[in-house]
Amino acid sequence: PGTLGRPNHSDEGGNNSNSAPSPPSDKLIIEEYVIPMSRLADVGDLRLRLQNISGISASRMKLCKKDEIVSKAASQSNDPSRTYFKVTPLPEKEGPCIQLARQLSGTKVNQTAEDIARPSITSIIAFESTLRARPEVPDAGDKSNGNADLTDEETADEDEDDAIGDKEYQRSVAKMLHIYGDKDECRLYDTNPTALSKAMSRALWPKSAADFKIGLRVDAIDHRSHWFPGSVVEVIQPSKDVTEASEAEGKGDDDTADKTKVRVHFDNFSSKWDETYGIEQFKKGRVRPLYSHANHKPKPVEFLVYHRHRIKSGNSYNALFGQPFYLQCHNEWSTARAGAHVLAQVSRFLQDNEGARREPSDQFYQSSENARAVVTQTIDVLLDFDRKYVESALKPMVDRNSDGIRRSTSTHVMSQKLSKKLALLLPLLPFDVRVCASDSPLGGQQGSSAEECAFPFSLLRTMGNYMNARHAVVVHWREKETSKNTERPRHPLLYVNPEVGIHERSKGVLEADAAAKAAAGSSKAHGGVQLGVCLDEFCKEQHLPETDSWRCPNCKEIREGNQHMVLWRLPDILVFHLKRFNCSARWREKITTKVNFPLTGLNMSEWCDKDSPFLEGPEESYVYDLFGVVNHYGGMTGGHYVSTCKATACGADGSEEVAYNFSGAGVNEIDAEEETTQSVWKGLGRSKEKDAASASTKAATAAARFVAESSEPVWLQFDDDLVDPIPPKHVVSEMAYVLFYRRRRISPSNVAKYSTLE
């Protein structure tokens, strides 16, 4: 806003222009949101959530993967050419959000499986469509839509002539022509000129070969009898030999003109498929007015716009930098009108941002101001000529002379005038606009530009006929030139990264995520996520939007609200059921994230209410020790359960001491013993070898020695009818499903309940 003189219609008199607005706002170019999503929520649900929070229709957004690439060539941190954001379109097919998160996070180096599966903030970028539609106006082409069904050529000719002469049709064309290219064009709205193009095709339709014009939009039938829209790109005059032969035969100029042909380039096809047609084929109906037989494709032309500059250190080469973006253009726009759209979108990277200015600051500001003025002037020239071209073509239709003869227009003269004006303005821009292959935005080898050309700001070629999916646009930024006599430093580029506006509610989520990452930094070496993080997520405050249909108990109305959970009472036996199986209406998965849980000393006071009576007692009232784990091996379609249990001390009569208290002393001293018995444990399992008895004897001996010498009770693994001792470090695994903890100070009533009477 403001770069092209666009009015800030949303501003109010009391607003402070210096304060950064909060999204959603039409003052911002880039807005950042944090949207909490379920792991198995559909990507379509993500689009709808983004639509609700930003106010942008989901159909107008294109989701892309975003990779940040930092260049080593730039020395200064505020140099915009230092960073390049590579964008890759995400598949249009929907899927669970967890697949999207894994796809994006899986590209980072030095990541473990736990890092990929861990819930985190996944960065994607959504591009809003650059086209803003006008309020609906009557379609000037409705009168001629029926021509596609006509088979009789004479009837079709009569209908087209009737449509052109119909007063209601003329008023409809005049009404659309009145708003096309007005002061709001390319600033507030982008008019779709399809109806005007159909009217122009009929108004300029040739009656003879002398009426052929470059740029005429037609429907033509190819050698396979298929109809395609296209444009006349060349008028082929008869050769000198043909002209001399006609003169020798005494034939006039009309006969020579009838031998003139046109070359038609079809939309979305390469030049090798071009075909030539003569006036006879026009009269026989093999070439018809635009969209009378071929189907109109409403989807606009879409291509990626890159930022590029030339690095002149050692061997010069081209380099991409900054934020590329997707741009859409209506198919029937001339390349001049589309060029104005390109310049308007690129001007967003010329916004004055005081914090992004480079030295010398005053010179940078002045250069940026001058560049914006040149961009605005160039856009005005392109829009003015494009409007005049359309008006001159349709003038005979909406305003005929009294004798009914149509006035012709010289498109050649108008194109020459536009070229002269652009020859003065384009060199003043801080960049060049070029067209290249979509897979080679850097140009040919060694940065050459053999595979690209200058963007054609032409009135005679439409975007749908010139661009296709194999093309891209490169904005090649030029360095600011300074006088050789001056010693003042120069700023290399006028490109400025747009300011990012962060949603207010998202700021808290980002801060919490940063704090969680910092807290988990010390335990990252072990992989997985801590049990305390899971408890934090379980007890954290959650926002309930109105769509959750929460009804206030006081006013009985559906409102937004916040909810959170804390613990009031603590049981003697505490069971944690980890969410390993996740299902939605369309997707399901098994979550294999490793949860690191303590074997001893789990302090639950952090998740208790501050007024809980358990916090007033001794520490043993809220400290727990693990005594059992249920593990699940397998996936969603099947698996196997294996349990792990801690064998506590027994009394003289062989009964278990329920009130056994363990302080955790000596746990770290058993690693050496584990190493000596590791080979024995590796051999345990469902082996049917002949030396199974010998292995069991060795395992029993090692287990007995381990229990006798360690202060930690032995851990046993129960796999159906097999019971084997395992090292304590193997208790924690990504297969853990249900955790059983026992409070160190068991309630007296439970001690009596679980005790046996002789």
Side-chain angles (χ1 to χ4, degrees):
T3 300
L4 306 176
R6 175 175 174 175
N8 295 330
H9 53 275
S10 63
D11 289 352
E12 298 180 2
N15 288 350
N16 182 9
S17 59
N18 295 327
S19 60
S22 175
S25 171
D26 63 353
K27 298 180 183 179
L28 292 169
I29 297 173
I30 300 179
E31 301 176 354
E32 184 172 355
Y33 301 91
V34 178
I35 304 177
M37 298 294 297
S38 171
R39 292 167 59 94
L40 292 188
D42 203 280
V43 174
D45 298 332
L46 172 61
R47 295 178 185 270
L48 293 178
R49 293 284 297 274
L50 187 57
Q51 170 182 290
N52 295 335
I53 194 172
S54 67
I56 302 172
S57 173
S59 61
R60 289 176 50 83
M61 289 185 288
K62 185 180 185 69
L63 271 60
C64 294
K65 168 187 174 182
K66 182 177 180 180
D67 295 322
E68 182 178 354
I69 303 175
V70 179
S71 172
K72 298 180 180 179
S75 57
Q76 299 181 2
S77 59
N78 64 340
D79 189 345
S81 63
R82 183 172 181 265
T83 305
Y84 168 58
F85 298 99
K86 181 182 178 181
V87 296
T88 306
L90 295 176
E92 291 296 332
K93 63 179 182 179
E94 299 179 352
C97 289
I98 185 60
Q99 289 186 3
L100 178 63
R102 287 172 176 170
Q103 177 184 0
L104 300 186
S105 62
T107 59
K108 299 179 181 179
V109 296
N110 298 328
Q111 278 203 323
T112 63
E114 291 82 1
D115 293 330
I116 297 176
R118 182 186 299 116
S120 62
I121 294 180
T122 301
S123 297
I124 60 175
I125 183 169
F127 293 99
E128 181 186 5
S129 172
T130 57
L131 296 176
R132 189 178 294 268
R134 280 183 180 269
E136 293 186 3
V137 295
D139 186 3
D142 286 346
K143 290 286 184 178
S144 59
N145 284 344
N147 293 338
D149 299 328
L150 295 175
T151 56
D152 187 81
E153 298 160 10
E154 296 180 358
T155 305
D157 289 336
E158 293 176 0
D159 287 350
E160 288 157 10
D161 290 338
D162 292 342
I164 294 176
D166 186 82
K167 292 183 178 180
E168 183 180 352
Y169 180 74
Q170 294 174 9
R171 285 195 299 268
S172 178
V173 172
K175 184 176 181 180
M176 177 169 285
L177 190 61
H178 177 71
I179 64 173
Y180 182 74
D182 61 5
K183 63 180 181 180
D184 293 334
E185 187 74 20
C186 197
R187 288 172 169 82
L188 296 179
Y189 306 110
D190 301 296
T191 307
N192 188 347
T194 301
L196 293 177
S197 295
K198 291 192 288 186
M200 289 172 60
S201 177
R202 287 153 179 80
L204 300 177
W205 196 252
K207 297 299 182 181
S208 65
D211 297 331
F212 284 150
K213 291 181 175 63
I214 295 178
L216 177 67
R217 295 285 287 158
V218 300
D219 281 354
I221 191 169
D222 65 358
H223 62 282
R224 295 183 178 180
S225 299
H226 295 158
W227 287 93
F228 296 101
S231 295
V232 175
V233 295
E234 182 184 5
V235 177
I236 306 174
Q237 300 293 342
S239 63
K240 185 178 180 180
D241 294 339
V242 174
T243 304
E244 292 176 352
S246 298
E247 292 176 353
E249 294 175 2
K251 298 181 180 180
D253 295 338
D254 292 342
D255 183 74
T256 303
D258 288 344
K259 298 183 182 300
T260 302
K261 294 185 178 182
V262 295
R263 181 166 63 91
V264 175
H265 177 75
F266 296 105
D267 295 0
N268 299 317
F269 285 89
S270 63
S271 299
K272 68 179 182 180
W273 301 106
D274 294 356
E275 297 203 16
T276 58
Y277 301 90
I279 191 63
E280 289 298 324
Q281 291 166 302
F282 275 73
K283 293 179 179 180
K284 291 180 179 180
R286 294 186 63 83
V287 184
R288 304 297 301 160
L290 183 66
Y291 298 135
S292 59
H293 286 70
N295 294 324
H296 168 60
K297 294 182 179 180
K299 185 177 180 180
V301 179
E302 182 179 75
F303 49 87
L304 194 59
V305 180
Y306 296 93
H307 298 282
R308 190 181 72 186
H309 73 123
R310 189 97 177 149
I311 297 180
K312 301 178 180 179
S313 58
N315 295 329
S316 298
Y317 60 94
N318 293 333
L320 301 177
F321 72 97
Q323 177 65 70
F325 61 94
Y326 277 90
L327 188 140
Q328 295 78 26
C329 294
H330 289 299
N331 290 277
E332 296 304 322
W333 270 351
S334 68
T335 55
R337 171 61 183 87
H341 191 59
V342 172
L343 294 179
Q345 297 301 317
V346 175
S347 68
R348 300 178 302 168
F349 301 93
L350 284 171
Q351 296 280 345
D352 181 41
N353 185 352
E354 186 173 357
R357 294 180 190 172
R358 293 175 286 282
E359 296 297 335
S361 180
D362 55 344
Q363 183 180 345
F364 182 89
Y365 172 77
Q366 187 61 42
S367 300
S368 181
E369 285 286 322
N370 296 339
R372 288 198 294 272
V374 175
V375 170
T376 303
Q377 186 178 358
T378 307
I379 291 175
D380 290 338
V381 168
L382 293 171
L383 294 177
D384 182 58
F385 272 85
D386 182 64
R387 176 182 173 85
K388 288 180 179 179
Y389 172 72
V390 176
E391 284 181 343
S392 63
L394 295 178
K395 193 74 171 179
M397 177 184 295
V398 298
D399 183 18
R400 294 175 177 236
N401 293 329
S402 57
D403 57 0
I405 300 176
R406 301 179 182 181
R407 296 177 296 183
S408 62
T409 177
S410 177
T411 57
H412 179 69
V413 174
M414 193 174 296
S415 297
Q416 282 186 333
K417 291 182 178 180
L418 175 61
S419 298
K420 290 181 180 179
K421 283 187 174 290
L422 293 179
L424 299 175
L425 291 173
L426 293 181
L428 301 178
L429 293 174
F431 50 77
D432 294 324
V433 183
R434 307 187 65 84
V435 179
C436 68
S438 59
D439 57 351
S440 57
L442 293 175
Q445 294 182 355
Q446 301 299 326
S448 66
S449 56
E451 299 181 1
E452 63 184 40
C453 61
F455 187 88
F457 296 93
S458 171
L459 301 171
L460 307 179
R461 198 76 181 267
T462 62
M463 284 299 290
N465 189 256
Y466 182 76
M467 297 281 289
N468 55 50
R470 297 180 295 274
H471 290 148
V473 168
V474 170
V475 179
H476 189 95
W477 291 79
R478 296 191 290 263
E479 294 186 351
K480 176 65 178 178
E481 299 295 339
T482 56
S483 174
K484 295 182 179 179
N485 299 327
T486 181
E487 296 181 356
R488 298 185 63 184
R490 63 173 182 163
H491 50 84
L493 302 172
L494 289 178
Y495 175 96
V496 174
N497 285 314
E499 182 180 3
V500 180
I502 304 178
H503 192 243
E504 287 295 335
R505 187 172 294 168
S506 301
K507 291 181 181 179
V509 179
L510 291 173
E511 293 173 357
D513 181 72
K517 289 182 178 179
S522 59
S523 61
K524 190 174 181 180
H526 302 286
V529 62
Q530 298 297 323
L531 180 62
V533 176
C534 300
L535 290 171
D536 290 337
E537 288 293 316
F538 181 77
C539 298
K540 76 175 183 180
E541 184 176 282
Q542 294 180 328
H543 176 72
L544 300 178
E546 291 186 7
T547 54
D548 284 357
S549 301
W550 177 76
R551 191 177 299 275
C552 176
N554 297 326
C555 64
K556 308 302 181 182
E557 297 290 335
I558 296 178
R559 297 180 179 275
E560 293 186 2
N562 296 319
Q563 73 169 7
H564 72 284
M565 303 179 68
V566 292
L567 303 179
W568 179 258
R569 299 180 60 185
L570 294 174
D572 287 340
I573 305 299
L574 184 61
V575 181
F576 292 101
H577 186 179
L578 303 181
K579 188 177 179 63
R580 290 293 183 193
F581 302 100
N582 198 9
C583 300
S584 67
R586 299 180 60 183
W587 316 103
R588 60 180 184 173
E589 66 164 348
K590 179 184 178 182
I591 304 174
T592 58
T593 304
K594 183 179 180 181
V595 178
N596 292 306
F597 47 89
L599 301 185
T600 60
L602 175 61
N603 192 326
M604 294 296 296
S605 61
E606 182 179 348
W607 300 280
C608 290
D609 188 272
K610 61 180 181 179
D611 297 326
S612 173
F614 285 85
L615 299 181
E616 299 177 357
E619 181 180 357
E620 289 79 4
S621 300
Y622 47 80
V623 175
Y624 288 79
D625 298 321
L626 183 74
F627 70 89
V629 179
V630 175
N631 302 278
H632 179 268
Y633 294 84
M636 295 296 300
T637 58
H640 182 66
Y641 287 96
V642 175
S643 63
T644 303
C645 186
K646 181 172 66 175
T648 57
C650 298
D653 56 354
S655 61
E656 181 183 6
E657 295 182 3
V658 178
Y660 172 77
N661 293 330
F662 173 61
S663 62
V667 173
N668 297 327
E669 300 176 0
I670 64 175
D671 292 339
E673 182 65 24
E674 293 176 10
E675 295 297 331
T676 59
T677 58
Q678 184 176 6
S679 60
V680 177
W681 278 320
K682 282 186 176 180
L684 298 181
R686 294 180 177 271
S687 176
K688 302 298 183 180
E689 299 177 358
K690 296 180 179 180
D691 57 345
S694 176
S696 300
T697 303
K698 293 180 180 179
T701 304
R705 185 172 63 256
F706 177 79
V707 174
E709 298 179 0
S710 174
S711 58
E712 166 72 350
V714 68
W715 286 91
L716 300 177
Q717 177 176 284
F718 296 84
D719 185 359
D720 290 343
D721 58 340
L722 298 180
V723 180
D724 301 315
I726 63 172
K729 67 179 182 180
H730 291 173
V731 175
V732 180
S733 70
E734 62 273 9
M735 302 303 172
Y737 186 28
V738 184
L739 312 178
F740 297 87
Y741 279 88
R742 183 166 55 196
R743 187 162 51 184
R744 288 185 177 177
R745 185 183 181 89
I746 297 181
S747 302
S749 58
N750 282 334
V751 173
K753 179 179 179 180
Y754 297 143
S755 298
T756 58
L757 298 178
E758 294 294 342

